[in-house]
């Protein structure tokens, strides 16, 4: 009943994009809107670099950049689907967005436009024009200083507006309107806008009866002026003068996006719904258009938005597949294309269906999604954490230390892997991809090694309890040996290419300079405490082979001390508090920020920012990464530095947008890790566990790992069958035949669940759509079946009157049709129900059993039917209870009475909700998603006193998600550790149109109430971008509740988890507002929730 909603994968559908100079006058920026996310990129020679990724408290409806008179950089104007607008400026000093203006353009009356809001800014920056209600055009005047004035509405006679644009080079602000009349003819009309009269004045020109498929206007800048009208078969240039109208014809297509190449508007890119990209050229003499030319450049993802950046580089944003950064070349390649894809931006949207599986059988859930439309269709395998791809493994229990060594100091590749055991040291050497044991003459193999590294001048260092040995890198013989004072032993040691610092006798700190020929003691000092760990890694990007100007020591009195080199004077002391000593320290530079990381013996990690000149520490944070002692080591992947924390929950620490992020590694327990970049195993890691040594490469460093399986057709439904290790996928293929007509074909495909190769394909009949598929069993039948529900959608019929239920067996990895049942309608949903099959057929629910037929095969036999719905889209069952999601009649609860063989309704939600998904949270609580992007929960009134109350499902929770959910499934994205405290929290996973994978966790009441206080405190500390309020964004709003109702019994996990990214002073402010708590306690509780995804 109390639910925590959090997104594991943020929205990735690109809806809008604009380019300009937003972060600075000299920067070229790309600004992208992904549902309620705003991402700002900077164009660099290496590609697009993210500058800011921020959440907007609203679904972004429109984006426009504009520049006020005398300004050096652009401002961003955005509107949301709930009629809020704001003007934003980038503050480069703090890296934040500042709100320059904000407001609400909602009217008390008016029918919101069906086809999406339109908002444009007059080219001469005199006003913002908005079309958000049918029959009204709203104007926000802008004065010469760039200040926004009070908005007003102008009545618009044309009710069915298709597109509106401001024209260039007009004395008065002038709009060009494309609209459809009641006879379904389309026309163009211009209006001048008089700010003084607050009304329209008849415009300079109009054009009656343009192409019926016309759907888009492109305004052309001066000196040419006028506009381009895009249809389905023609593209025309118009400017009011009949003689100057120019048209180019094309084969039938639907253009979805356009982008301007030249500032003078002589070339445009246009993209159609099949992903074809064209260039449209206006041939002109400088003032007059002489003709139009259209050339196809090649194929991209199906474009939703096109932004030309610079020097032939174009961003193609897609909400149908992956977005792309492409480069246009003047000459065609061997495939006849002028396009080179530079970068691909993964997009999971639209997720039409998914299943949760444990393919590796490790207790780690993976989500396999049906993603993308038409040719961009694919399956995506999404799993949490970073995978290690094993290259070699050997049984080697008891490794206590692990280091990689190069053959010579300047060598690029590692050649040796040194393993330290209790009482001995072994060395593995790599030769032509083979690892074999070798002896190093200069090493002492009969003792445990404490530290090992390459040093400048081709030397190797081995530190043991009794001595430091300098070995020749070329001859592998002993050059010199350094001993501690009489009777003392070396306890800990650290080093780099030029320096070694070690502790002897517990608390004596010794600093040595090393080279290939000598070891020189520079300084020693007595510490006040015993030393537990040391680090002397040089700070700075690419400084691995340099020297460090300081050393850090972890002490037994739970503090860390930073000392200057070579003088060993104390610079900084930081007390860690608590009961546990530090076990591992690391200086590291990530994304240009210098950090000191300190791991404790109980799995906690402290992170500090450090000033490399003064050693001053700031921004102290503490996070729990495991429960056992942890060892930190630095490694490089794809030229970027990261940190590996080896413990019972191994973790990679990395930086993104200058924030430290933590991603778990999909291994059970790691005791030691060393980077091992050898010729045979490039960019690999050597990983030791209690029992074995593994060498493997690491996946891309990110929280979620996504693998793409392209299908080149649209996947609509998916089911996994564990017993036969296959996926059943229902797909739709759209192709264009020779006459230019669209052809649709529907298939049922069988795929191997490891390799994803297609094992078998079954083609459905003409017009037959697959609506649902499940893997199920029937009573008294050991076989597992795949059942497909279909609807035969004949074009002229408003609703399917025929459909089929197909029962397949995945025998010998082929689809064998066992039986089929014709039904009178579309089979929209299927459910395994106590050894039988429950089917939703149009407005009724029917229960089938599988019986032996007279001919010796099998057949589906109907047992009972329940009617009384509008259109049953969703079914879920538990025991004898059936939860139904209806097209427009919300959720109802039915029960099956086996004695009577009847299904009866026992309760329903009497609100009108248009459902997009349902699931059962527990025996009495059910969750639903509806088409106004809301989630709500209903509860069965079992203890009500009257029959009337018992027949009503009570709404107990409401929340605005801001995205359309297509499917809920029970499951988890994370490995459930057996050592986690407290009861396990049940989770649901959901997938949405914008590519969100979200998690809903049901919390105990006390936890909910505590986190609600945290959420309210965060709302006081974190202010929404553009003055938008979190409470309004999450309020439940639809046609019945036009002004929104406050969300209840739901928590916004994204907001709560943003606490972990706040600056320390903000964290303390939140803790003070919550009361009776500390920042550490808050971090701990929020990190526990973060582990749910």
């Amino acid at each position: 009943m109390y639910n925590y909603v959090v997104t594991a994968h943020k929205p990735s559908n690109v809806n809008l994009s604009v380019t300009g100079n937003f972060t600075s006058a000299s920067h070229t920026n790309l600004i992208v809107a992904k549902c309620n996310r705003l991402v700002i990129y900077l164009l660099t020679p290496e590609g697009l670099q993210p500058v800011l990724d921020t959440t907007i408290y609203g679904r972004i409806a429109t984006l426009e950049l504009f520049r006020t008179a005398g300004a050096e950089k652009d401002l961003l104007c955005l509107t949301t689907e709930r009629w809020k607008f704001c003007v934003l400026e980038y503050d480069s000093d703090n890296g934040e967005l500042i709100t320059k203006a904000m407001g609400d353009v909602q009217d008390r009356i008016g029918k919101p436009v069906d086809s999406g809001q339109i908002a444009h800014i007059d080219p001469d920056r005199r006003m913002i024009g908005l079309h958000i209600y049918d029959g009204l055009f709203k104007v926000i005047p802008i004065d010469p200083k760039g200040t926004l004035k009070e908005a007003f509405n102008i009545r618009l006679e044309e009710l069915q507006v298709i597109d509106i644009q401001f024209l260039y080079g007009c004395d008065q602000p002038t709009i060009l309107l494309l609209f459809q009349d009641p006879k379904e003819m389309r026309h163009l009309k211009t209006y001048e806008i008089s700010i003084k009269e607050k009304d329209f004045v008849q415009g300079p020109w109009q054009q009656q009866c343009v192409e019926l498929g016309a759907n888009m206007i492109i305004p052309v800048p001066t000196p040419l002026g006028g506009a381009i009208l895009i249809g389905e078969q023609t593209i025309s240039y118009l400017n009011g003068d009949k003689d100057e109208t120019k048209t180019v014809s094309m084969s039938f297509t639907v253009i979805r996006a356009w982008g301007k190449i030249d500032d003078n508007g002589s070339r445009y890119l246009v993209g159609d719904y099949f992903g074809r990209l064209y260039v449209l050229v206006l041939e002109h003499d400088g003032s007059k258009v002489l003709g139009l030319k259209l050339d196809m450049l090649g194929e991209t993802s199906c474009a939703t938005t096109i932004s030309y950046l610079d020097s032939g580089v174009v961003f193609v944003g897609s909400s149908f597949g992956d977005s792309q950064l492409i480069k246009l070349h003047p000459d065609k390649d061997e495939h006849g294309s002028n396009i080179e894809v530079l970068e691909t931006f993964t997009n999971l949207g639209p997720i039409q269906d998914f299943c949760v599986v444990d393919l590796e059988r490790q207790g780690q859930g993976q989500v396999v999604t049906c993603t993308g439309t038409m040719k961009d269709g694919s399956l995506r395998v999404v799993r949490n954490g970073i995978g290690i791809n094993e290259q070699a493994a050997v049984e080697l229990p008891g490794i206590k230390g692990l280091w990689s060594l190069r053959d010579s100091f300047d060598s690029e590749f590692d050649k040796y892997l040194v393993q330290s055991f209790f009482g001995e040291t072994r060395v593995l050497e790599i030769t032509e991809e083979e690892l074999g044991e070798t002896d190093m003459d200069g090493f002492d193999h009969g003792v445990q090694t404490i530290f090992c590294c390459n040093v400048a001048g081709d030397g190797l260092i081995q530190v043991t309890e009794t001595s430091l040995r300098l070995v020749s890198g070329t001859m592998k013989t002993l050059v010199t040996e350094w001993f501690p004072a009489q009777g003392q032993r070396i306890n800990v040691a650290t080093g780099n290419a030029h320096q070694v610092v070690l502790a002897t006798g517990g608390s004596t700190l010794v600093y040595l300079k090393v080279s290939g020929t000598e070891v020189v003691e520079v300084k020693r000092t007595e510490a006040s405490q015993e030393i537990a760990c040391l680090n002397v890694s040089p700070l700075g990007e690419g400084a691995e082979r340099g020297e460090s100007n300081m050393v850090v020591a972890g002490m037994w009195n739970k503090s860390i001390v930073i000392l200057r080199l070579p003088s060993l004077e104390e610079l900084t002391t930081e007390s860690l508090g608590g009961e546990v000593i530090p076990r591992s320290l690391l200086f590291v530079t990530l994304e240009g920020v210098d950090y000191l990381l300190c791991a404790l013996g109980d799995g906690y990690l402290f992170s500090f920012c450090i000033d490399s000149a003064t050693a001053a520490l700031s921004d102290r944070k503490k996070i729990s990464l495991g429960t056992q002692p942890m060892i930190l080591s630095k490694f490089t992947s794809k030229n970027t530095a990261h940190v590996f924390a080896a413990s019972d929950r191994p973790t990679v620490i990395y930086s993104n947008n200058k924030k430290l992020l933590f991603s778990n590694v999909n291994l059970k327990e790691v005791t030691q890790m060393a980077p091992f970049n050898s010729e045979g195993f490039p960019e690999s890691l050597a990983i030791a566990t209690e029992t074995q040594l593994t060498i493997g490469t690491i996946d891309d460093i990110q929280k979620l790992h996504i693998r793409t399986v392209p299908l080149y057709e649209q996947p609509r439904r998916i089911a996994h069958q564990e017993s036969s290790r296959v996926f059943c996928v229902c797909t739709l293929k759209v192709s264009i035949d020779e006459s230019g007509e669209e052809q649709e074909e529907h298939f049922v495909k069988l795929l191997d669940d490891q390799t994803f190769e297609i094992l078998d394909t079954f083609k459905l009949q003409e017009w037959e759509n697959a609506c649902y598929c499940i893997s199920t069993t029937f009573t008294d039948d050991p076989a597992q079946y795949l059942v497909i529900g279909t609807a035969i959608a004949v074009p002229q019929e408003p609703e399917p009157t025929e459909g089929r239920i197909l029962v397949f067996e995945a025998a010998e990895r082929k689809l064998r049709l066992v039986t089929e049942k014709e039904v009178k309608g579309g089979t929209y949903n299927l459910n395994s129900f106590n050894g039988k099959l429950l089917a939703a057929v149009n407005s009724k629910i029917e229960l089938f059993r599988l019986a032996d037929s007279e001919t010796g095969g099998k057949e589906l036999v109907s047992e009972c039917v329940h009617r009384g719905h509008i259109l049953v889209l969703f079914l879920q069952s538990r025991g004898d209870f059936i939860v139904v999601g209806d097209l427009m009649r919300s959720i109802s609860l039915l029960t099956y009475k086996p004695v009577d063989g009847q299904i009866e309704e026992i309760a329903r939600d009497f609100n009108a909700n248009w459902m997009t998904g349902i699931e059962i949270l527990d025996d009495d609580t059910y969750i639903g998603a509806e088409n106004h992007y809301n989630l709500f929960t209903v509860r069965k009134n079992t203890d009500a006193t009257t029959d009337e109350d018992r027949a009503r499902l009570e709404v107990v929770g409401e929340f605005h998600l801001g995205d359309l959910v297509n499917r809920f499934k029970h499951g988890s994205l994370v490995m459930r550790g057996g050592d986690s405290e407290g009861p396990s929290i049940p989770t649901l996973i959901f997938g949405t149109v914008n590519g969100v994978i979200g998690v809903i966790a049901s919390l105990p009441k006390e936890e909910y109430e505590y986190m609600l206080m945290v959420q309210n405190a965060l709302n006081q500390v974190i202010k929404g971008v553009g003055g938008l309020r979190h409470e309004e964004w999450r309020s439940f709003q639809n046609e019945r509740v036009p002004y929104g109702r406050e969300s209840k019994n739901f928590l916004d996990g994204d907001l709560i988890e943003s606490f972990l990214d706040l600056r320390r002073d903000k964290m303390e402010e939140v803790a003070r507002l919550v009361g009776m708590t500390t920042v550490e306690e808050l971090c701990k509780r929020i990190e526990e929730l973060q582990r749910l995804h």
Side-chain angles (χ1 to χ4, degrees):
M1 158 151 184
Y2 303 103
N3 292 301
Y4 178 86
V5 182
V6 64
T7 54
H9 182 269
K10 302 271 183 280
S12 51
N13 259 13
V14 171
N15 314 106
L16 303 158
S17 69
V18 289
T19 66
N21 313 105
F22 184 63
T23 54
S24 136
S26 57
H27 288 169
T28 300
N29 297 110
L30 169 72
I31 302 175
V32 174
K34 304 176 179 185
C35 188
N36 67 322
R37 258 175 93 201
L38 191 68
V39 188
I40 299 165
Y41 295 97
L42 173 64
L43 184 66
T44 67
E46 289 75 50
L48 288 176
Q49 180 188 325
V51 177
L52 188 68
D53 183 340
T54 187
T55 302
I56 303 290
Y57 290 151
R59 287 170 59 90
I60 301 169
T62 66
L63 270 190
E64 286 267 320
L65 280 174
F66 71 103
R67 190 175 302 195
T68 53
E72 287 192 343
K73 56 182 190 181
D74 297 329
L75 299 175
L76 179 69
C77 175
L78 70 82
T79 66
T80 73
E81 289 187 14
R82 287 188 175 178
W83 307 288
K84 304 273 189 286
F85 81 92
C86 57
V87 176
L88 305 171
E89 183 181 24
Y90 185 75
D91 173 4
S92 44
D93 297 339
N94 298 323
E96 295 175 342
L97 294 174
I98 307 170
T99 307
K100 300 285 285 184
M102 53 183 263
D104 189 336
V105 286
Q106 186 170 8
D107 292 333
R108 280 282 168 192
I109 51 165
K111 177 179 173 286
V113 291
D114 289 334
S115 53
Q117 297 180 19
I118 298 173
H120 292 300
I121 296 168
D122 163 50
D124 297 321
R125 328 286 185 271
R126 292 169 290 195
M127 63 175 60
I128 304 171
L130 301 137
H131 179 56
I132 50 182
Y133 294 102
D134 286 342
L136 290 175
F137 186 74
K138 189 176 285 280
V139 174
I140 305 173
I142 306 175
D143 75 5
K145 292 179 186 161
T147 313
L148 302 190
K149 298 296 186 192
E150 193 180 341
F152 59 85
N153 281 327
I154 303 177
R155 289 213 68 76
L156 196 59
E157 290 168 15
E158 296 74 24
L159 290 180
Q160 205 173 344
V161 172
I162 291 153
D163 199 7
I164 295 178
Q165 291 282 359
F166 278 102
L167 293 177
Y168 284 83
C170 302
D171 295 338
Q172 290 296 323
T174 304
I175 58 167
L176 178 61
L177 187 71
L178 171 65
F179 67 97
Q180 186 166 304
D181 66 16
K183 294 178 181 165
E184 298 195 349
M185 302 297 282
R186 296 193 176 184
H187 316 284
L188 281 173
K189 198 169 187 181
T190 56
Y191 285 116
E192 284 184 4
I193 299 167
S194 163
I195 295 180
K196 205 160 123 198
E197 302 293 327
K198 298 190 176 178
D199 205 353
F200 284 140
V201 180
Q202 194 65 41
W205 56 277
Q206 55 185 16
Q207 178 109 9
Q208 299 288 328
C209 304
V210 296
E211 191 203 307
L212 293 179
N215 61 359
M216 223 180 251
I217 302 169
I218 303 177
V220 178
T222 47
L224 298 173
I228 297 163
L229 182 68
I230 293 192
E232 290 173 346
Q233 290 167 307
T234 61
I235 296 179
S236 306
Y237 169 80
L238 314 148
N239 68 357
D241 187 333
K242 281 274 195 302
D243 301 337
E244 290 191 17
T245 299
K246 300 285 180 275
T247 300
V248 61
S249 58
M250 56 184 177
S251 54
F252 175 86
T253 186
V254 178
I255 301 288
R256 284 242 176 89
W258 63 272
K260 183 170 69 173
I261 298 179
D262 305 307
D263 288 340
N264 69 357
S266 53
R267 289 181 304 168
Y268 294 87
L269 291 168
V270 291
D272 73 4
Y273 74 135
F274 254 90
R276 291 177 292 222
L277 188 69
Y278 304 85
V279 62
L280 174 68
V281 182
L282 274 63
E283 295 167 328
H284 61 89
D285 59 6
S287 61
K288 198 164 132 190
V289 174
L290 306 172
L292 298 180
K293 205 165 118 214
L294 187 71
D295 285 325
M296 185 170 146
L297 297 173
E299 270 201 19
T300 64
S301 294
C302 300
T304 308
T305 163
I306 297 171
S307 290
Y308 184 87
L309 293 162
D310 199 6
S311 341
V313 177
V314 181
F315 176 74
V316 177
S318 177
S319 38
F320 311 102
D322 290 344
S323 297
Q324 294 171 324
L325 190 67
I326 60 171
K327 186 164 177 65
L328 303 178
H329 293 288
D331 303 319
K332 293 195 181 299
D333 61 15
E334 65 270 19
H335 307 296
S337 168
N338 300 70
I339 294 169
E340 176 197 358
V341 177
L342 301 177
E343 197 176 346
T344 300
F345 301 87
T346 304
N347 170 22
L348 289 185
I351 300 173
Q352 292 142 80
D353 194 9
F354 69 89
C355 59
V356 186
V357 291
D358 178 11
L359 295 180
E360 257 99 67
R361 301 192 168 176
Q362 288 184 336
Q364 162 103 23
Q366 299 185 18
V367 170
V368 183
T369 67
C370 293
T371 286
T373 64
M374 298 180 53
K375 73 173 185 63
D376 294 332
S378 64
L379 298 180
R380 304 290 168 109
V381 187
V382 184
R383 68 156 193 263
N384 191 313
I386 296 172
I388 301 288
N389 308 310
E390 193 177 289
Q391 312 275 353
V394 55
E395 289 293 318
L396 262 184
I399 295 177
K400 299 275 183 264
L402 203 56
W403 300 270
S404 53
L405 295 175
R406 301 186 296 281
D407 203 19
S408 68
F409 184 72
D410 296 323
S411 171
E412 187 183 341
F413 293 109
D414 296 323
K415 183 152 189 198
Y416 304 101
L417 199 55
V418 180
Q419 308 123 67
S420 167
F421 299 88
F422 192 73
E424 69 167 324
T425 296
R426 295 184 194 167
V427 181
L428 287 174
E429 179 182 11
I430 187 162
T431 48
E432 292 167 7
E433 296 196 25
E434 289 295 314
L435 272 174
E437 199 162 329
T438 183
D439 269 352
M440 284 215 190
D441 296 343
F443 269 34
D444 185 346
H445 286 278
V447 293
Q448 182 174 338
T449 299
I450 296 173
F451 178 75
C452 202
C453 73
N454 286 79
V455 295
D458 275 355
L460 306 172
I461 290 283
Q462 182 196 20
V463 181
T464 66
E465 276 196 343
T466 52
S467 71
L468 179 151
R469 301 168 74 87
L470 176 64
V471 177
S472 158
T474 45
M475 308 299 291
K476 308 296 181 272
T477 52
L478 184 65
V479 176
T480 180
E481 196 167 4
W482 178 93
F483 295 97
Q486 190 71 39
Q488 290 198 339
R489 290 185 171 276
I490 299 173
N491 310 87
V492 282
T494 178
N496 57 41
H498 307 275
Q499 301 156 298
V500 172
V501 179
L502 42 82
T504 68
S507 59
T508 308
L509 198 62
V510 184
Y511 169 45
L512 308 163
K513 284 284 286 201
V514 289
S515 67
T517 55
E518 60 179 356
V519 177
V520 180
E521 182 177 324
V522 181
K523 184 85 178 164
R524 66 171 55 209
T525 185
E526 284 298 320
S528 57
Q529 284 284 325
E530 282 207 33
I531 294 166
C533 48
L534 292 164
N535 187 257
V536 70
S537 300
L539 284 169
E541 301 268 0
E544 287 81 11
R545 299 187 185 184
E547 284 192 39
S548 176
N549 62 348
M550 52 192 167
V551 59
V552 59
M555 301 300 194
W556 276 77
N557 68 346
K558 292 85 169 173
S559 68
I560 47 180
V561 180
I562 302 172
L563 304 105
R564 167 79 65 215
L565 291 180
S567 63
L568 290 182
E569 63 176 297
E570 282 192 21
L571 294 171
T572 307
T573 302
E574 179 88 9
S575 172
L576 301 173
E579 302 297 311
V580 189
I581 61 163
R583 287 295 185 89
S584 180
L585 291 158
L586 185 64
F587 286 130
V588 64
T589 303
L590 303 173
E591 281 198 318
V593 180
D594 294 333
Y595 293 99
L596 169 61
L597 303 178
C598 169
L600 306 187
D602 59 356
Y604 273 95
L605 177 89
F606 280 97
S607 69
F608 305 90
C609 291
I610 183 166
D611 183 321
S612 56
T614 65
L617 298 177
S618 59
D619 205 17
R620 166 173 164 156
K621 288 190 177 154
K622 182 181 180 185
I623 182 168
S624 160
L625 295 183
T627 59
Q628 302 296 316
M630 180 164 27
I631 296 179
L632 303 170
S633 27
K634 179 179 161 185
F635 70 99
T636 307
S637 170
K638 300 201 165 67
N639 298 327
T640 312
H642 310 292
V643 177
F644 192 101
S647 76
D648 60 329
R649 282 210 286 258
T651 304
V652 169
I653 304 164
Y654 61 107
S655 176
N656 190 3
N657 275 343
K658 303 223 183 322
K659 279 198 298 216
L660 280 189
L661 299 176
F662 305 88
S663 191
N664 56 315
V665 178
N666 295 334
L667 292 169
K668 289 285 194 246
E669 189 161 349
V670 174
T671 53
Q672 299 282 341
M673 191 291 294
F676 190 56
N677 178 28
S678 60
E679 279 191 86
F681 304 107
E683 287 219 337
S684 298
L685 306 180
I687 291 169
T689 63
E690 291 289 345
T691 55
Q692 70 169 9
L693 173 68
T694 306
I695 292 174
T697 56
I698 196 157
D699 284 339
D700 288 347
I701 308 291
Q702 57 207 34
K703 183 129 175 63
L704 281 181
H705 186 261
I706 298 167
R707 172 183 167 196
T708 302
V709 182
L711 296 174
Y712 308 109
E713 52 195 74
Q714 182 171 333
R716 300 196 55 226
R717 298 289 178 262
I718 186 167
H720 182 241
Q721 191 168 80
E722 178 75 28
S723 58
S724 45
R725 306 304 304 261
V726 293
F727 286 110
C728 176
V729 183
C730 304
T731 67
L732 154 68
K733 185 175 186 179
V734 179
S735 50
I736 303 274
D737 66 13
E738 288 151 12
S739 62
E741 291 292 310
E742 253 184 44
Q743 295 294 325
E744 277 192 11
E745 295 173 291
H746 293 262
F747 301 98
V748 178
K749 300 199 171 193
L750 202 63
L751 281 76
D752 182 281
D753 77 356
Q754 296 294 317
T755 63
F756 287 91
E757 73 172 294
I758 296 172
L759 304 169
D760 200 10
T761 301
F762 179 90
K763 188 175 177 186
L764 297 175
Q765 298 170 3
E766 190 182 21
W767 314 123
E768 187 174 25
N769 289 248
C771 299
Y772 208 78
C773 73
I774 59 166
S775 169
T776 187
T777 54
F778 290 94
T779 309
D780 304 331
D781 189 337
Q784 285 242 343
Y785 295 101
L786 291 163
V787 186
I788 316 290
T790 74
I792 295 170
V794 180
Q796 287 73 36
E797 286 182 357
E799 206 52 61
T801 55
E802 288 177 49
R804 291 193 297 170
I805 299 174
L806 306 170
V807 180
F808 291 99
E809 203 175 357
E812 291 160 0
R813 301 172 83 70
K814 291 273 182 274
L815 284 168
R816 184 176 75 79
L817 186 61
V818 177
T819 182
E820 62 174 279
K821 174 85 177 171
E822 291 190 359
V823 289
K824 297 275 180 265
T827 312
Y828 293 114
N829 211 294
L830 298 164
N831 196 279
S832 304
F833 187 74
N834 305 338
K836 297 175 182 172
L837 181 72
L838 206 54
V841 181
N842 279 19
S843 63
K844 66 181 182 185
I845 294 164
E846 197 160 356
L847 185 63
F848 295 96
R849 63 185 163 85
L850 192 67
D852 294 327
S853 68
E854 292 166 6
T855 55
K858 301 271 186 189
E859 64 177 349
L860 285 174
V861 180
S862 175
E863 288 212 336
C864 65
V865 173
H866 183 271
R867 292 185 170 82
H869 309 272
I870 307 268
L871 203 63
V872 181
L873 295 181
F874 308 101
L875 290 173
Q876 295 292 347
S877 66
R878 184 178 283 199
D880 286 333
F881 289 110
I882 303 162
V883 182
V884 177
D886 189 272
L887 170 72
M888 53 196 287
R889 284 177 62 181
S890 195
I891 297 177
S892 49
L893 178 66
L894 317 178
T895 184
Y896 174 64
K897 303 209 161 157
V899 182
D900 313 339
Q902 290 297 320
I903 297 173
E904 290 177 11
E905 181 179 301
I906 49 176
R908 67 163 46 244
D909 173 19
F910 287 94
N911 294 309
N913 286 318
W914 295 67
M915 304 305 294
T916 65
I918 61 164
E919 189 50 90
I920 297 175
L921 285 171
D922 61 40
D923 289 348
D924 295 340
T925 320
Y926 320 115
I927 191 165
E930 47 89 289
N931 69 336
H932 283 78
Y933 319 119
N934 299 304
L935 300 178
F936 65 98
T937 49
V938 292
R939 189 176 58 194
K940 186 165 80 190
N941 275 329
T942 29
D943 36 9
T945 48
T946 65
D947 287 349
E948 191 182 327
D949 285 350
R950 273 198 291 275
R952 182 184 296 277
L953 289 175
E954 179 195 2
V955 177
V956 289
E958 294 182 323
F959 182 76
H960 182 73
L961 182 68
D963 206 345
L964 199 73
V965 174
N966 274 330
R967 183 76 74 233
F968 293 104
K969 289 275 170 80
H970 284 280
S972 169
L973 275 170
V974 289
M975 277 176 151
R976 290 298 167 89
D979 52 6
S980 58
E981 308 89 49
S984 75
I985 295 178
T987 55
L988 274 186
I989 298 175
F990 62 84
T992 76
V993 166
N994 277 295
V996 168
I997 291 180
V999 175
I1000 298 175
S1002 300
L1003 300 183
K1005 187 176 183 188
E1006 302 73 45
E1007 180 80 354
Y1008 167 78
E1009 285 171 349
Y1010 180 79
M1011 284 299 161
L1012 186 60
M1013 294 196 313
V1014 175
Q1015 179 171 297
N1016 293 338
L1018 278 163
N1019 273 327
Q1020 291 180 49
V1021 175
I1022 303 175
K1023 293 291 177 250
V1025 173
L1028 297 167
R1029 290 181 55 237
H1030 180 265
E1031 294 89 338
E1032 287 183 17
W1033 161 233
R1034 292 304 186 193
S1035 65
F1036 182 95
Q1037 188 176 7
N1038 61 18
E1039 285 159 348
R1040 293 179 292 109
V1041 192
Y1043 298 108
R1045 241 192 335 248
E1046 199 176 338
S1047 74
K1048 64 177 180 187
N1049 293 342
F1050 275 96
L1051 290 169
D1052 183 349
D1054 292 339
L1055 175 65
I1056 289 171
E1057 288 176 19
S1058 71
F1059 172 83
L1060 300 171
D1061 300 329
L1062 294 178
R1063 296 199 311 269
R1064 179 78 193 191
D1065 56 326
K1066 297 274 190 195
M1067 284 182 165
E1068 283 164 356
E1069 196 181 332
V1070 172
R1072 199 180 65 249
L1073 288 166
V1074 173
M1076 307 289 289
T1077 189
T1078 63
V1079 169
E1080 277 66 31
E1081 169 69 13
L1082 269 177
C1083 283
K1084 182 168 183 276
R1085 290 184 74 161
I1086 293 171
E1087 280 159 14
E1088 278 169 14
L1089 288 172
Q1090 202 177 30
R1091 283 205 201 98
L1092 294 171
H1093 61 98

